[in-house]
């Protein structure tokens, strides 16, 4: 059975790339798409920023043909502003709109946006309804189990948001109070998936960091697909590895040093093409340690990579990384 969101066909068990602030930009999305991500989202975008025409918010609306299907994710605390932001985002031409009701960070949740709306389901329902009515695109939602252990209300949230027209729901298996600590609990996600009233796809999110776990939780929790976030940072191969394991029951060989360097270089090239050399090179610096995690004595190379300020210099260092570590592993 194919998973559908509106008229978007995502195949039989889609893998989604989570929208992550300062990570899920077009260069990062490119390398994830190349490695098998089925559906991706922009970084979350402030409704206030879109309405004010803030440059940073506007830039996050950039999407490219190769990314499709892609959703634009917005967040905010004011219903009318969310409606206006939906119209602005729809004009950017995504395949779907997504609302963030899951972000736990203080400057979002304590301003009445993101996970904060789990404390006011009536307002969440009204806001969702306004967004659904403001666009011709399918609307999806990402949320958490609840605000804290005493208010795990996502079962009710799922029913009520489906009633006002959302077409898929992603649930992160933690409460807002947990932030990203502890272990994600998918039992409530499973209960929602088994609820006979729920007809929309339910995607699970939280702690999927290996093909074996993805396969085990797919069977155990019976979700329609999975959203992967932190495990893809510096390791976009997670998508192809999970898919290969689903298909064959075998682990795909990990990427070689040459592959790691190639994908890192592609990410850098896309970053420069999108943001210009100065910002593109600067913002890529946070990714090097992730791409080369686990390599002995990599710190020396990382220090060189984060001070290099031209593509040519970085390219030269990456060549040396390939040579040095390929010899070591030969």
């Amino acid at each position: 059975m194919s998973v559908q969101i509106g008229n978007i066909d995502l195949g039989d068990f889609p893998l989604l790339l989570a929208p992550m602030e300062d990570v899920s930009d077009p260069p990062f999305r490119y390398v994830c798409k190349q490695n098998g991500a089925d559906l991706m989202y922009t970084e979350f975008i402030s409704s206030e920023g879109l309405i004010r025409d803030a440059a940073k918010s506007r830039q996050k609306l950039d999407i490219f043909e190769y990314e499709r299907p892609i959703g634009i994710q917005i967040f905010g605390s004011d219903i009318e502003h969310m409606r206006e932001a939906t119209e602005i985002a729809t004009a950017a031409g995504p395949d779907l709109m997504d609302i963030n009701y899951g972000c736990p960070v203080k400057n979002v949740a304590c301003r009445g946006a993101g996970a904060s709306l789990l404390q006011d389901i009536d307002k969440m329902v009204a806001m969702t309804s306004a967004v659904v009515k403001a666009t011709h695109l399918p609307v999806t939602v990402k949320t958490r189990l609840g605000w804290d252990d005493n208010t795990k209300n996502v079962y009710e949230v799922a029913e009520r948001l489906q009633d006002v027209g959302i077409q898929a729901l992603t649930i992160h298996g933690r409460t807002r109070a947990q932030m990203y600590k502890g272990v994600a609990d998918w039992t409530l996600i499973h209960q929602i998936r088994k609820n006979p009233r729920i007809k929309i796809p339910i995607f699970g999110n939280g702690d999927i960091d290996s093909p074996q776990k993805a396969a085990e939780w797919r069977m155990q929790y019976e979700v329609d697909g999975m959203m992967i976030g932190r495990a893809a940072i510096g390791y976009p191969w997670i998508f192809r590895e999970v898919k290969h394991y689903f298909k064959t029951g075998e682990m795909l060989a990990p990427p070689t040093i040459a592959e790691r360097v190639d994908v890192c270089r592609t990410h850098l090239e896309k970053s420069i093409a999108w943001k210009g050399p100065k910002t593109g090179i600067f913002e890529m610096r946070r990714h090097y340690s992730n791409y080369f995690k686990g390599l002995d004595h990599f710190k020396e190379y990382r220090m060189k990579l984060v001070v290099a300020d031209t593509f040519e210099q970085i390219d030269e260092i990456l060549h040396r990384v390939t040579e040095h570590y390929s010899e070591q592993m030969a």
Side-chain angles (χ1 to χ4, degrees), residues 13 145 152 170-174 183-193 202-209 213-214 216-228:
F13 192 85
L145 302 179
K152 288 186 178 173
T170 300
I171 305 163
H172 181 100
R174 289 182 175 85
V183 179
D185 176 8
W186 284 43
T187 51
L188 199 47
I189 305 175
H190 187 212
Q191 287 170 30
I192 291 163
R193 182 63 193 80
I202 301 294
F203 302 126
N205 173 231
D207 292 355
I208 294 296
D209 54 13
K213 190 187 282 184
E216 189 185 321
W217 286 15
R218 178 183 181 176
M219 296 295 288
Q220 190 176 346
Y221 299 114
E222 301 178 83
V223 288
D224 297 293
M226 289 174 172
M227 181 179 275
I228 297 173

Side-chain angles (χ1 to χ4, degrees), residues 210-247:
S210 72
Q212 297 96 322
K213 190 187 282 184
E216 189 185 321
W217 286 15
R218 178 183 181 176
M219 296 295 288
Q220 190 176 346
Y221 299 114
E222 301 178 83
V223 288
D224 297 293
M226 289 174 172
M227 181 179 275
I228 297 173
R230 287 174 293 169
I233 299 175
Y235 204 83
W237 302 277
I238 183 83
F239 297 100
R240 76 173 189 191
E241 288 181 3
V242 168
K243 286 182 169 181
H244 183 80
Y245 193 81
F246 284 169
K247 206 174 279 182

Side-chain angles (χ1 to χ4, degrees), residues 53-288:
D53 207 19
K56 193 174 181 206
S57 296
R58 281 282 175 172
Q59 191 186 28
K60 287 181 182 176
L61 289 175
D62 284 359
I63 51 182
F64 298 89
E65 282 306 308
Y66 62 74
E67 302 186 277
R68 297 190 185 282
I70 180 136
I72 289 177
Q73 189 188 69
I74 58 173
F75 73 97
S77 59
D78 181 280
I79 293 175
E80 177 55 24
H81 289 174
M82 284 289 279
R83 190 193 63 73
E84 284 180 55
T86 301
E87 292 177 350
I88 295 166
T90 299
D95 300 289
L96 53 88
M97 287 295 309
D98 188 75
I99 312 171
N100 180 307
Y101 293 137
C103 181
V105 300
K106 212 176 245 178
N107 68 354
V108 173
C110 293
R111 289 183 184 164
S116 170
L117 283 132
L118 285 160
Q119 299 176 102
D120 187 346
I121 299 182
D122 288 345
K123 182 178 177 183
M124 183 197 274
V125 170
M127 182 179 282
T128 306
S129 179
V131 169
V132 169
K133 287 172 182 159
T135 182
H136 66 281
L137 298 168
V139 173
T140 61
V141 162
K142 179 161 192 255
T143 190
R144 287 181 170 237
L145 302 179
W147 181 255
D148 57 27
D149 280 346
N150 303 316
T151 56
K152 288 186 178 173
N153 49 15
V154 70
Y155 195 91
E156 178 191 347
V157 164
E159 290 189 346
R160 293 184 64 186
L161 296 189
Q162 177 181 266
D163 290 347
V164 294
I166 71 163
Q167 297 195 35
L169 177 65
T170 300
I171 305 163
H172 181 100
R174 289 182 175 85
T175 61
R176 188 272 166 173
Q178 280 180 277
M179 302 293 282
Y180 294 99
K181 298 186 178 75
V183 179
D185 176 8
W186 284 43
T187 51
L188 199 47
I189 305 175
H190 187 212
Q191 287 170 30
I192 291 163
R193 182 63 193 80
K194 299 302 282 179
N195 177 356
R197 267 206 65 200
I198 295 295
K199 307 293 185 222
I200 59 174
I202 301 294
F203 302 126
N205 173 231
D207 292 355
I208 294 296
D209 54 13
S210 72
Q212 297 96 322
K213 190 187 282 184
E216 189 185 321
W217 286 15
R218 178 183 181 176
M219 296 295 288
Q220 190 176 346
Y221 299 114
E222 301 178 83
V223 288
D224 297 293
M226 289 174 172
M227 181 179 275
I228 297 173
R230 287 174 293 169
I233 299 175
Y235 204 83
W237 302 277
I238 183 83
F239 297 100
R240 76 173 189 191
E241 288 181 3
V242 168
K243 286 182 169 181
H244 183 80
Y245 193 81
F246 284 169
K247 206 174 279 182
T248 66
E250 293 169 5
M251 290 292 288
L252 200 58
T256 62
I257 290 298
E259 273 187 285
R260 282 160 84 162
V261 167
D262 276 350
V263 172
C264 179
R265 184 186 289 112
T266 299
H267 191 161
L268 172 66
E269 286 168 350
K270 291 284 175 190
S271 189
I272 291 170
W274 184 54
K275 301 170 189 164
K278 192 175 176 196
T279 308
I281 286 169
F282 176 74
E283 292 195 355
M284 190 63 194
R285 288 173 181 169
R286 65 170 81 104
H287 292 285
Y288 295 125

